[in-house]
Amino acid sequence: KFRIDKYKDGLNYLINGQVLTWQDKNAPVISPILLQDKGRTYAPVLGEYPLLDNHESWQALQAAKKAYDAGNGLWPQMPVSERLNHLQQFVQSIKPLKEIFSLLEMWEIGKSYLDCRDEFDRTIKYIGDTIDNLMLLEEEGDLINRVDKYIFQVRRRPLGVCLCMGPFNYPLNETFAMLIPALIMGNTAIVKLPRYGSLCTLPLLEAFARSFPPGVINIINGEGEKIIGPVIRSGEIDLLGFIGSVSVATHLINQHPGNNRLRTILGLEAKNPAFILAEADIDLAAKECALGALEFNGQRCTAIKHIWVHESIVDKFLEALCREIDSLKTGMPWEENVNITPLPEEGKVEWLGKLVEDAVSKGAAVINKGGGEIAGNLFYPAVLFPVNNNMKIYDIEQFGPVIPVSSFSRLEELVNYMITSDYGQQASIFSQSGDKAGLLIDILANQVARINLNAQCRRGPDELPFTGRKDSAEGTLSISDALRTFSISSLVVANEYGRDLFLDTLKKGKSKFLKI
């Protein structure tokens, strides 16, 4: 029931309300899942990936610019209630596509079938919750406020043309977490799909085309440097929503000729630590750390990527952690309760192996049974101990199933680790002592954006702020925060000389902005 035919519409893209098919250079989309047939092992070709050129990306930019029209276009001037109708029409159109999305994503990036379905459901819920929050925001905007001798009205307004670039690990949910608030606030958008995980989004193109006015949403594909570089260098992009590496984000921003006016919303790298204090519940900590480090093979920015354990309990913790990892299921993504699945990125298995080799050569050991073993694109989780700052894995975000573990004796060691880290997204504290946890909370609160108590790091619920410090993020994504992130406060103000004009304008009802 999980078989899938080669996807025939992989060369489609969307510009100015038209679903087009690329007729030129393309590349095969190859599954990370290896199959066997009559003694032959092969990776199935799922479809094609269009290698659009800069002419197509330029057309997408012109379409988005025309639809925005310096804020005077149909979409940014449309009443919020009408924009919501378009979005609700879109949601109804894509609901029947859950199965094809889930199968394509499963075969493309090796994510478990149930997790693919969950990503789709979570995205639908996210859109609905965003609509509800915007309605509350609009109610706030209808208020007439007074301060001293001034009366004023504040509303959120769009910023312009938004370029959205989501990641491969959550190609729908993470991309939509930027795209939906950008659109709903009245911006127009260009989406550049990720190299891995692009096919699964393409069944949605027709729904986008039918649900939104031409040019409001444009979806392109290809080599980023070739199709995105010219768009950024034009200076016509007003917002950049990007989830990926620090180096790529820096490269993109530096290409913009007016990057001081470029609004950036960035979800970048993270090296989230878990701190296991001496008073921790060892079994609970081991279970949460195993799941937190290995959910979707550790290919999450929120994954636990370094574990620090108090030296008095390190042996017991490592024993419990290895036991938890032994209980996790390795296999194909359609198997029930599977945890470890094939890795989609080309060369990733070899790269992880080199990280393990480097750590072992500098004094660490792989302490779990079968750790680091490879079968095709499967990489069995490797627990490394003891890890020190001479090893690459100490600083590098592995984004895969390698778990570095270090021990500590004094709180100062953890403080120094956090202060010197380039990253500051999240951390987890495991303890049963409020006194000890409290000391660490006060330190971490100025180093990371979220502290998890006796639990793994994670993004949700989507109502909570999702951001980071240092090189981990810029801007805040949550259901309510994202609406503000992709918009700006505009207000109309009157003192005693403008009061009559303010009230007369309200009474006449000729302004779309100044109204009740």
Side-chain angles (χ1 to χ4, degrees):
K1 85 180 213 183
F2 300 104
R3 291 181 180 273
I4 190 170
D5 294 327
K6 183 177 178 181
Y7 187 62
K8 59 182 177 57
D9 294 326
L11 298 179
N12 285 357
Y13 58 105
L14 174 65
I15 293 180
N16 202 31
Q18 299 291 316
V19 177
L20 307 170
T21 302
W22 183 239
Q23 304 292 343
D24 208 328
K25 293 180 180 179
N26 61 75
V29 177
I30 301 173
S31 177
I33 301 170
L34 301 183
L35 302 179
Q36 287 185 332
D37 181 38
K38 299 178 181 178
R40 180 175 70 98
T41 300
Y42 68 98
V45 176
L46 305 177
E48 284 80 34
Y49 178 86
L51 299 175
L52 302 183
D53 58 34
N54 56 15
H55 176 267
E56 274 61 42
S57 61
W58 191 255
Q59 292 298 313
L61 175 61
Q62 297 309 307
K65 278 181 58 182
K66 182 179 179 181
Y68 189 71
D69 190 20
N72 297 310
L74 172 66
W75 186 250
Q77 288 292 327
M78 185 180 292
V80 168
S81 60
E82 292 185 26
R83 286 207 298 266
L84 295 182
N85 288 338
H86 284 274
L87 199 60
Q88 288 165 337
Q89 176 187 336
F90 173 72
V91 170
Q92 295 306 312
S93 297
I94 67 171
K95 282 183 176 179
L97 303 175
K98 177 178 175 178
E99 183 66 9
I100 183 62
F101 165 83
S102 301
L103 288 173
L104 282 172
E105 185 182 37
M106 181 190 73
W107 283 96
E108 269 191 279
I109 64 173
K111 183 183 289 186
S112 79
Y113 174 71
L114 291 180
D115 283 346
C116 293
R117 293 176 65 84
D118 180 69
E119 180 180 349
F120 190 91
D121 290 340
R122 182 180 170 189
T123 303
I124 295 295
K125 182 179 183 300
Y126 179 89
I127 297 174
D129 291 342
T130 300
I131 290 173
D132 292 341
N133 272 263
L134 180 57
M135 293 172 69
L136 294 175
L137 196 61
E138 277 297 292
E139 290 178 8
E140 292 179 20
D142 286 338
L143 298 175
I144 305 300
N145 302 281
R146 289 174 173 80
V147 173
D148 295 330
K149 61 183 178 181
Y150 297 95
I151 59 173
F152 62 96
Q153 188 174 52
V154 183
R155 293 189 185 278
R156 304 297 302 188
R157 302 302 294 168
L159 288 156
V161 176
C162 179
L163 173 62
C164 288
M165 300 175 66
F168 81 83
N169 56 338
Y170 292 91
L172 188 70
N173 188 259
E174 295 279 12
T175 302
F176 275 40
M178 300 182 291
L179 175 62
I180 295 305
L183 291 178
I184 205 171
M185 296 309 295
N187 304 286
T188 60
I190 302 167
V191 175
K192 194 280 180 188
L193 297 177
R195 175 64 183 90
Y196 303 97
S198 64
L199 282 185
C200 57
T201 305
L202 297 185
L204 280 58
L205 294 191
E206 288 288 353
F208 274 120
R210 292 193 306 268
S211 303
F212 296 94
V216 169
I217 172 70
N218 305 273
I219 299 177
I220 57 176
N221 234 333
E223 297 177 3
E225 187 61 37
K226 189 170 185 179
I227 64 174
I228 297 303
V231 169
I232 288 283
R233 290 191 292 270
S234 73
E236 303 289 351
I237 297 296
D238 302 295
L239 302 94
L240 172 64
F242 175 81
I243 299 177
S245 70
V246 173
S247 59
V248 173
T250 302
H251 179 63
L252 289 171
I253 294 167
N254 287 342
Q255 290 185 85
H256 197 288
N259 55 29
N260 287 330
R261 62 177 176 81
L262 176 68
R263 172 74 66 91
T264 53
I265 303 93
L266 310 175
L268 304 174
E269 298 164 23
K271 188 77 171 175
N272 296 335
F275 299 119
I276 320 299
L277 306 189
E279 303 78 19
D281 180 327
I282 292 176
D283 290 337
L284 172 65
K287 182 177 181 178
E288 285 292 304
C289 285
L291 293 173
L294 297 175
E295 183 179 341
F296 189 34
N297 304 305
Q299 297 171 121
R300 302 178 300 126
C301 64
T302 57
I304 290 175
K305 300 191 177 81
H306 197 151
I307 302 174
W308 289 79
V309 190
H310 192 272
E311 61 183 10
S312 65
I313 60 168
V314 66
D315 291 338
K316 291 182 178 179
F317 174 81
L318 289 173
E319 181 181 342
L321 179 65
C322 293
R323 188 166 59 246
E324 289 292 338
I325 293 173
D326 284 344
S327 70
L328 298 179
K329 185 175 181 178
T330 301
M332 294 299 101
W334 52 79
E335 295 178 27
E336 190 173 353
N337 299 321
V338 70
N339 299 102
I340 307 301
T341 57
L343 301 173
E345 294 176 276
E346 185 177 352
K348 188 60 176 281
V349 166
E350 292 78 12
W351 184 76
L352 291 173
K354 290 179 181 178
L355 284 180
V356 172
E357 290 175 9
D358 173 77
V360 170
S361 71
K362 295 172 181 175
V366 178
I367 64 168
N368 63 310
K369 182 181 177 182
E373 289 186 1
I374 295 169
N377 293 319
L378 280 166
F379 187 99
Y380 193 75
V383 179
L384 295 169
F385 179 80
V387 167
N388 60 54
N389 60 6
N390 293 318
M391 303 169 186
K392 294 179 180 178
I393 192 67
Y394 187 91
D395 297 305
I396 289 176
E397 182 192 25
Q398 60 271 40
F399 214 72
V402 177
I403 307 175
V405 182
S406 303
S407 63
F408 71 96
S409 59
R410 297 176 297 110
L411 198 62
E412 288 75 16
E413 296 173 64
L414 306 184
V415 174
N416 183 65
Y417 171 76
M418 291 307 306
I419 290 174
T420 57
S421 173
D422 291 332
Y423 308 115
Q425 188 198 78
Q426 298 189 31
S428 291
I429 299 174
F430 291 89
S431 177
Q432 297 184 87
S433 168
D435 292 338
K436 298 294 179 62
L439 295 173
L440 192 51
I441 286 172
D442 290 348
I443 295 166
L444 293 177
N446 292 322
Q447 296 295 324
V448 300
R450 173 168 166 165
I451 303 164
N452 304 276
L453 300 181
N454 286 334
Q456 61 175 284
C457 300
R458 54 167 55 89
R459 173 167 178 165
D462 287 323
E463 288 80 5
L464 301 181
F466 181 63
T467 185
R469 292 173 176 265
K470 306 179 186 180
D471 282 343
S472 286
E474 184 174 310
T476 301
L477 292 175
S478 69
I479 292 170
S480 58
D481 287 315
L483 295 173
R484 292 175 168 82
T485 297
F486 286 93
S487 62
I488 190 169
S489 292
S490 291
L491 62 159
V492 178
V493 187
N495 60 12
E496 65 269 30
Y497 305 116
R499 183 183 181 88
D500 290 342
L501 179 59
F502 186 101
L503 296 174
D504 187 54
T505 303
L506 279 176
K507 182 179 179 180
K508 297 292 177 55
K510 294 297 184 180
S511 172
K512 296 178 181 178
F513 184 101
L514 187 60
K515 62 184 180 67
I516 53 176

